[in-house]
Amino acid sequence: KMLRRHSPRLILDVATGTGDLALLLHRKLNPHQLTGIDLSPNMIARAQAKAVDAGIAHKVSFMTGDCLALPFGAETFDCITVAYGVRNFEHLDTGYREMYRVLQPGAVLCVIELSTPTSPIVKPLYNFYTRRIIPTIGRLVSHDVRAYSYLPESIAAVPQGNAMLELLREAGFSQCTFTPLTFGTCTIYMAIK
């Protein structure tokens, strides 16, 4: 909904995974072309299959690629989205500079990322859930002792709130804002080139 007022026509979904956000963006915004990019060939294959099954492969395409060295020319897109992916970037500052490079002047960046709540009421519940419940379910499903225990670590390690806005500004973005959601466990960051 936050992107609708920008009427994006050429969207890049970075760290697209299996393409769920890209397909949702296509349904909600009906852009001229939408491209999803991810490091994982297996996830891209699943995303492509979803686009084919939905009959929209001519408007929504997926490719394997590195977000730290995007394989696109300067000023290619009028919108970039990243959902739950920036915390896994090896060099977040490089990723943001690359996104800035491939965005057209006046274009929008939308980042959705998990975050650590600051409320003294929500934080203990969040800590219990992310440190006990999620790793336990991960172990049961994957039979891997370390499965999903990285999640709270990766969430805590990524810059949040004003620190994330500062990274966006350092990459060249302006009009940087953030909106906490779900009691602060998720945040939407918006910025303009």
Side-chain angles (χ1 to χ4, degrees), residues 69-80:
L70 293 168
F72 307 105
E75 302 180 2
T76 302
F77 300 96
D78 62 6
C79 177
I80 294 179

Side-chain angles (χ1 to χ4, degrees), residues 2-9 78-79 106-108 190-192:
M2 295 170 87
L3 291 173
R4 190 170 288 133
R5 69 183 179 97
H6 297 277
S7 303
R9 305 306 298 152
D78 62 6
C79 177
V108 64
M190 299 286 286
I192 303 294

Side-chain angles (χ1 to χ4, degrees), residues 77 87 101 132 181:
F77 300 96
R87 74 178 182 283
R101 180 184 67 79
R132 300 284 186 222
L181 303 171

Side-chain angles (χ1 to χ4, degrees), residues 129 132-143 147-148:
Y129 181 74
R132 300 284 186 222
I133 304 297
I134 291 174
T136 299
I137 293 170
R139 265 192 305 279
L140 291 172
V141 171
S142 70
H143 306 292
Y148 294 95

